[in-house]
Amino acid sequence: MYGLSWRELRFALLISSSHFTQHVFYRILPPLIPVLAVALEYPLWQLGLLITLYSLGMGIVQAPFGVLSDRIDRRYLLPTGLALAGAAYVLFAFAPTLGASVPAVTLLNHSFEGGFLVMSLSMVIVGIGLAVVHPTGYPMITDNVETESKGTVLGVFGASSKFGDAATPALVALFLLVLPWERIILLFGVGGVVYGIALYTALRSEEFETLPSGQRTQRNDESSESDESDESGGLSDEDRRSFFYPITTIYLFFVSSGLTSHGINAFLPAFLVAVYAYSFELMGVPIGAESVANVYFALVLIAGGVIQLYLGGLLDRYDSRLILIGCMVVATVGLVVLAVVDLSPLALAAVVVILGTGLYGVNPARDALISDLSPPEYEGRIFGYLFTATSLVGAAFPTVIGYLLEVLGMRQGFLMLAIGTILAGGCIALLYSDRIYRTDAEMDARTSPSD
C-alpha cells in the first residue's frame, strides 16, 4: 500500500473490513453442514438449500441496492446491511427453539419443520443484508481515493474477500473444539451487529465522503434542470463504445470466468480427494485426505488474496486489460496442469497457488475497468446490476459442473473448466478493438480536430 496518504490508508482498511466481513458471513454455514446434519438430522439437500437461499437473496437485491446507493447516503446503507446480516445469524442460532412453535410445511411431498423454516428466513435476510457491500463499496472507493491510488485500494478491497473466505473455515474449526454450533453462529452474529454499529460510527465522522454524486450535486446547489437532464439522458446519450459495448463484454467476462471459479469453489476439494487422496500423520495424529484437500483449497484462496494486493498497485501503472488477460492465461495453465499431470504433494501446492493467482487475481483490474466505465452518478447501480445478473446466471453452474464431473470423470471435467478462462480472456481481448471499446482519450482525440 505504498504511496497512499494516511487518510487513504485508513479508508482502505475501513472499507476492506466490510468486504472481509461479507465473505466471512458467506462462509460460516458450509463448514458447519456436517455438524448440522448430525445435530438436526436434516438431509444434506435441505442444508444445501439454506446456502442457495442466501445466494438468491443476495443476488436478487444487489440491483435495487445499487439504485439506492446512488440516491441515499451510503453511511446508512452499508453498516445497516452488515448489522442486519449479523442479527439474522442471531435468529439462526435460536431457530430450533423459535421453530418449535412454527407449524411444519409440506411442499412437493417434502416436509419442512418449523426450525428449518426459521433458518431459511434468516439465510434470506443474511443475503439481503450483505448485498449492500458491492454497490456501496466500489463507489465509495471512487469518491475517497485519488485516481493514481485507486488501483492499490481496489487491490486491498478485493484481497480482503479472499482472506475472509480462507479465515472462516479455520475459525469455525477452532471454535468447534470448545463450543456447540448454536453458540458459534451466535458469536458470529453478535460480532456482526457490533461491527455494523462500529462501522457506522467510523463513517459518521465526516472524514470520508459517503454521499452519492447526485446528492453532492444537490448539496452544492447545482440546478435542478441539470439533474433532470442527467437522469433523462444518462448513459443512453453516450457513444455505445464508451459504455454499452464494453460493459456487455465485461459481463460476458464475469459469466465465463464464473464458470471456472464456481467449479473450483464447489469441487476442488472433491477433485483433490478423488484424484490425489494425499494424507499424512502429524505428531501421531492422522490427517485425512479431506483435511489435506481443504488445506490445498485454502492455499488457492490465500494466493488469490495476496496477488490482489500486488496487482492492485500495478493498476496505477499498467492497462487493466493486460492484467486481466495475463491472469486468465495463468489460470488456464494452472487448470490444464492440474487436470493432466500427476503431481507430487509439493508440486500440487505450487500448481494450486498458480491457479489461485490467476483465477482470483482479476478482481482489482476487473473492478477498476467497471469503475472507469461508469459515470459517478450511476456507479452503484452498475455494480449492482452486474453482480445481480452474474449471480443469477452463476447459480446454475455448480449443478451443471457437478453433472459434467460425474459423466466425464474428475480429470476430464476439470480440463473442461479451462474453457471458462479461455473465453474470459477472449472477452477482454475484444476490448482492444475500437469497434467495441473506445476510451475517453480516444474519443477526445477524434473530436478535437473539429472543435
Side-chain angles (χ1 to χ4, degrees), residues 200-405:
Y200 173 75
T201 302
L203 293 176
R204 192 183 173 195
S205 66
E206 306 293 342
E207 180 183 9
F208 306 118
E209 184 60 74
T210 59
L211 279 175
S213 176
Q215 294 294 317
R216 295 201 303 275
T217 299
Q218 294 178 9
R219 184 181 65 183
N220 294 330
D221 296 323
E222 294 280 334
S223 66
S224 60
E225 291 81 8
S226 173
D227 293 337
E228 291 173 2
S229 65
D230 286 343
E231 287 291 328
S232 61
L235 300 172
S236 61
D237 294 337
E238 299 290 334
D239 188 305
R240 287 180 179 269
R241 292 170 294 179
S242 68
F243 179 77
F244 182 74
Y245 291 158
I247 207 69
T248 301
T249 304
I250 292 171
Y251 169 70
L252 295 176
F253 169 82
F254 260 99
V255 173
S256 300
S257 60
L259 173 66
T260 306
S261 61
H262 277 84
I264 295 299
N265 286 336
F267 299 108
L268 180 61
F271 171 87
L272 295 174
V273 170
V275 174
Y276 291 98
Y278 286 137
S279 61
F280 61 94
E281 190 173 291
L282 181 64
M283 298 178 65
V285 178
I287 308 297
E290 292 81 4
S291 297
V292 174
N294 279 301
V295 171
Y296 281 118
F297 183 44
L299 280 177
V300 173
L301 299 173
I302 293 171
V306 171
I307 196 63
Q308 285 185 57
L309 295 174
Y310 176 70
L311 294 181
L314 292 184
L315 280 174
D316 301 325
R317 290 177 285 167
Y318 296 100
D319 192 325
S320 56
R321 295 170 292 184
L322 179 63
I323 293 175
L324 288 172
I325 291 176
C327 284
M328 290 300 95
V329 170
V330 171
T332 302
V333 171
L335 264 175
V336 171
V337 173
L338 183 66
V340 174
V341 181
D342 288 322
L343 301 167
S344 67
L346 187 59
L348 180 59
V351 169
V352 297
V353 166
I354 291 171
L355 176 60
T357 296
L359 191 59
Y360 297 114
V362 299
N363 289 15
R366 179 200 68 192
D367 299 337
L369 195 54
I370 297 170
S371 182
D372 291 342
L373 287 168
S374 306
E377 64 271 22
Y378 295 108
E379 188 169 356
R381 71 190 69 182
I382 288 168
F383 274 103
Y385 292 153
L386 280 173
F387 278 101
T388 286
T390 53
S391 295
L392 295 179
V393 172
F397 284 161
T399 303
V400 174
I401 294 168
Y403 174 78
L404 288 175
L405 291 175

Side-chain angles (χ1 to χ4, degrees), residues 41-61:
E41 298 183 350
Y42 293 153
L44 287 178
W45 70 267
Q46 281 194 9
L47 295 172
L49 179 60
L50 293 175
I51 299 175
T52 298
L53 289 172
Y54 159 86
S55 300
L56 289 176
M58 183 175 178
I60 290 171
V61 300

Side-chain angles (χ1 to χ4, degrees), residues 146-189:
E146 297 295 333
T147 302
E148 59 270 17
S149 302
K150 187 174 179 180
T152 301
V153 176
L154 284 172
V156 179
F157 187 72
S160 65
S161 67
K162 294 305 155 200
F163 294 146
D165 287 338
T168 310
L171 287 173
V172 170
L174 181 63
F175 290 150
L176 280 172
L177 297 176
V178 294
L179 295 173
W181 70 266
E182 303 99 319
R183 293 193 179 182
I184 294 173
I185 292 182
L186 180 63
L187 183 62
F188 277 108

